[in-house]
Amino acid sequence: MRILLIAVMMLALGGGAQGQSLPKPMAAEAVLRAAVVDVIRPSVIRFDAVSRGLKSAVGSLCAEPDADGLAIARQEFGQVVVAYGKVDFLRLGPLMEDNRADRLFFWPDRRGIGLKQVQAILAEQDALATDLAGLKAKSVAVQGLGALEFVLFGTGSESLSGAEGAFRCAYGSAIAANIAEIAKALVAGWYLPNGVADRLQAPRAEYADYRSNIEALEEIVGLVAHGSEALRDKHLKPFMASAEKAAAPKLAAFWRSGLTMDFVRANIEGMRALVALSGVARAVGEKDQGLDNTIDFEFRNAIRALDLVTLPVAEAVADDKQAKALDYLVLVTGSLQGIVGEQLSAALGLSVGFSALDGD
């Protein structure tokens, strides 16, 4: 089955042609506008809305701790993780300012540095971590989603349903407030007059970041190519078994909350939406018109693989069928990186192998 799937994937890879046809100016402008207006702005607005819901839920839990309040706070956390999954790969503009990407989600944390710092705050009951200003002065690893996941789902989190969890809850409340503040800043940044949204939609020679449609389109294409690479290398391969190592499910993001695959799915869906709604793969010459279908075919393959992973990640890596689905997902993300970063890039006349593919 795996061989058949790989064969299908290779056929898809062979469908694109290398071309150098520059997109028509109006087509490029329409793509850039749709990327901002129809995808990026709605994604950060959704993230902002659910982050405010999380802040409210954790605040209510702290005011009146009980099991129902803890369950609601955990549900709200899940919504924020999914919403952030559709933002995480949008690594430009406001997300990359003021260390926001790391403050929201410090990952990967291969040495467990962040976890140790969070555990130290809880053990020492560090009062600075319960105040938003004090928390923001601390390590980025204790300010965001990873830290809040341990507070809500990690060892000792049951105490949050009673008075004995008061400090833990106050720390969680400060993290939730920090996430909400950053989410609000992302929205403001994407609506800032003469900000990144305006420069990306209407590049000019005098701008330092986007001087032409080509440079702006490189950014959009790079988000998907680099996002596929990051998804594979940061969120799939570290916890999966290989010829060199056994599976290590505790290296998966959000394994405590059972949200690992929800985050991965949101990432895939976010990138698929950026390609589909912006129309970037349709702004190519006649001979490359099949690229749009080829790319969406691979996104659908990724989603079908995700549909097969139904168990918590610790059990999924031990289940033969689901482990193979994860293996295939790794192949598909590699295929997407190649098709988007190389074939689509060439079809649009962009620089093949531009820096976005070289890693963080």
Side-chain angles (χ1 to χ4, degrees):
M1 181 63 180
R2 178 174 171 176
I3 293 175
L4 175 61
L5 290 172
I6 293 173
V8 171
M9 183 187 73
M10 294 306 293
L11 284 173
L13 272 170
Q18 302 293 314
Q20 293 296 326
S21 54
L22 287 169
K24 296 177 181 177
M26 285 305 294
E29 291 166 4
V31 166
L32 296 168
R33 183 179 187 282
V36 171
V37 174
D38 297 338
V39 183
I40 296 175
R41 280 176 172 168
S43 296
V44 295
I45 287 173
R46 170 65 180 165
F47 177 55
D48 174 48
V50 295
S51 294
R52 284 185 276 118
L54 174 65
K55 177 184 174 183
S56 177
V58 178
S60 297
L61 172 65
C62 296
E64 296 183 25
D66 60 19
D68 289 342
L70 177 56
I72 292 171
R74 286 172 168 171
Q75 289 173 3
E76 294 292 327
F77 178 80
Q79 292 195 44
V80 170
V81 168
V82 169
Y84 184 67
K86 296 182 179 181
V87 170
D88 178 66
F89 73 97
L90 299 172
R91 296 201 166 228
L92 75 162
L95 184 60
M96 304 310 293
E97 299 168 0
D98 196 24
N99 286 328
R100 287 178 186 133
D102 286 335
R103 289 170 61 209
L104 280 170
F105 187 32
F106 178 72
W107 195 263
D109 183 16
R110 295 187 178 91
R111 296 182 180 178
I113 295 173
L115 175 61
K116 292 175 183 175
Q117 292 176 343
V118 170
Q119 290 173 324
I121 286 173
L122 293 172
E124 298 166 6
Q125 299 211 348
D126 182 351
L128 283 176
T130 65
D131 173 75
L132 181 56
L135 179 65
K136 290 164 65 176
K138 290 185 173 296
S139 162
V140 296
V142 304
Q143 298 184 24
L145 293 168
L148 187 54
E149 187 202 29
F150 187 82
V151 169
L152 292 175
F153 297 89
T155 303
S157 60
E158 298 79 9
S159 67
L160 291 170
S161 60
E164 64 275 20
F167 175 81
R168 189 182 189 109
C169 200
Y171 173 38
S173 182
I175 299 173
N178 188 51
I179 292 170
E181 182 177 281
I182 296 173
K184 182 179 179 181
L186 294 184
V187 174
W190 278 104
Y191 280 90
L192 184 69
N194 302 316
V196 63
D198 289 344
R199 297 194 301 275
L200 189 62
Q201 292 180 84
R204 293 182 184 175
E206 61 266 32
Y207 291 160
D209 45 8
Y210 307 118
R211 293 168 296 181
S212 67
N213 284 344
I214 292 295
E215 290 186 355
L217 286 170
E218 282 183 349
E219 186 78 273
I220 299 302
V221 171
L223 291 174
V224 179
H226 190 44
S228 300
E229 178 184 39
L231 178 60
R232 181 182 67 254
D233 292 347
K234 292 167 60 177
H235 297 295
L236 292 172
K237 291 177 72 174
F239 72 81
M240 292 169 55
S242 69
E244 294 78 28
K245 64 179 181 65
K250 290 187 177 180
L251 291 181
F254 304 117
W255 68 269
R256 290 183 178 83
S257 56
L259 293 166
T260 301
M261 302 317 296
D262 296 86
F263 177 81
V264 170
R265 182 184 291 271
N267 223 228
I268 291 288
E269 289 176 345
M271 289 188 284
R272 185 187 186 191
L274 180 58
V275 174
L277 298 181
S278 71
V280 66
R282 297 188 292 276
V284 296
E286 185 66 30
K287 66 184 179 63
D288 293 311
Q289 285 297 312
L291 272 176
D292 191 42
N293 284 335
T294 299
I295 293 168
D296 197 60
F297 173 77
E298 287 298 63
F299 276 123
R300 294 199 304 273
N301 282 338
I303 291 170
R304 278 194 285 270
L306 282 167
D307 289 342
L308 296 175
V309 184
T310 56
L311 295 169
V313 66
E315 299 172 44
V317 295
D319 180 272
D320 186 60
K321 183 178 179 180
Q322 300 196 24
K324 286 181 178 176
L326 287 168
D327 285 340
Y328 180 61
L329 190 56
V330 167
L331 291 175
V332 171
T333 52
S335 173
L336 279 167
Q337 180 187 347
I339 297 171
V340 175
E342 296 176 12
Q343 296 185 34
L344 178 58
S345 177
L348 290 169
L350 311 180
S351 299
V352 178
F354 52 85
S355 60
L357 297 179
D358 295 335
D360 285 320

